[in-house]
């Protein structure tokens, strides 16, 4: 699940992106992906949030656009980046933005 096909193919994310959002080394992500280690439960929650965000964003954007959306500063988030918000356990705020996308409020 750490670097699932959805995150890699649909979200355009790489191991480095996972390392950045979870605040671990690239080598740790590699160990997770190979099954030699498992992420801490809090980290697993972050990864599930990221997975869900990518799934929702894929309804609107290509892989490159999803990756850009996750790293860009957003005016509707007071200039915050989605990746930072996921890391800081603020995914609920991101879900509100995605709900607005569903309602065609932000395109």
């Amino acid at each position: 699940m750490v670097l699932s096909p959805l995150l890699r193919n649909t979200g355009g994310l790489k191991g480095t992106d996972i390392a950045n959002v979870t605040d671990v080394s690239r080598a740790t992500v590699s160990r997770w992906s190979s099954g030699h280690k498992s992420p801490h439960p809090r980290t697993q929650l972050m990864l599930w949030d990221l997975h869900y965000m990518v799934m929702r964003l894929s309804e609107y954007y290509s892989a490159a656009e999803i990756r850009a959306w996750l790293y860009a500063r957003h005016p509707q988030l007071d200039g915050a980046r989605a990746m930072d918000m996921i890391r800081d356990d603020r995914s609920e705020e991101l879900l509100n933005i995605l709900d607005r996308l569903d309602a065609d409020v932000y395109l």
Side-chain angles (χ1 to χ4, degrees):
M1 189 318 257
V2 172
L3 192 52
S4 70
L6 180 92
L7 293 179
R8 188 175 41 253
N9 300 329
T10 305
L13 299 175
K14 301 170 177 69
T16 303
D17 300 312
I18 303 304
N20 288 339
V21 75
T22 57
D23 201 26
V24 299
S25 70
R26 174 71 176 93
T28 297
V29 173
S30 181
R31 284 191 292 276
W32 291 342
S33 295
S34 68
H36 288 89
K37 263 192 111 154
S38 294
H40 185 274
R42 182 181 184 286
T43 303
Q44 288 177 349
L45 290 174
M46 261 189 273
L47 293 169
W48 281 114
D49 284 350
L50 181 59
H51 190 273
Y52 183 71
M53 298 299 166
V54 167
M55 185 182 64
R56 293 273 309 267
L57 289 167
S58 70
E59 297 175 24
Y60 304 99
Y61 303 117
S62 69
E65 291 169 328
I66 290 171
R67 188 170 188 274
W69 193 95
L70 290 168
Y71 277 101
R73 294 196 177 273
H74 294 279
Q76 57 270 53
L77 298 172
D78 296 324
R81 291 182 174 98
M83 290 295 261
D84 296 336
M85 293 179 75
I86 292 169
R87 184 185 61 239
D88 296 340
D89 196 26
R90 295 174 55 200
S91 295
E92 190 70 34
E93 295 170 61
L94 293 174
L95 292 175
N96 292 333
I97 298 302
L98 295 178
D99 289 342
R100 290 181 194 142
L101 275 172
D102 287 342
D104 294 329
V105 176
Y106 297 113
L107 292 177

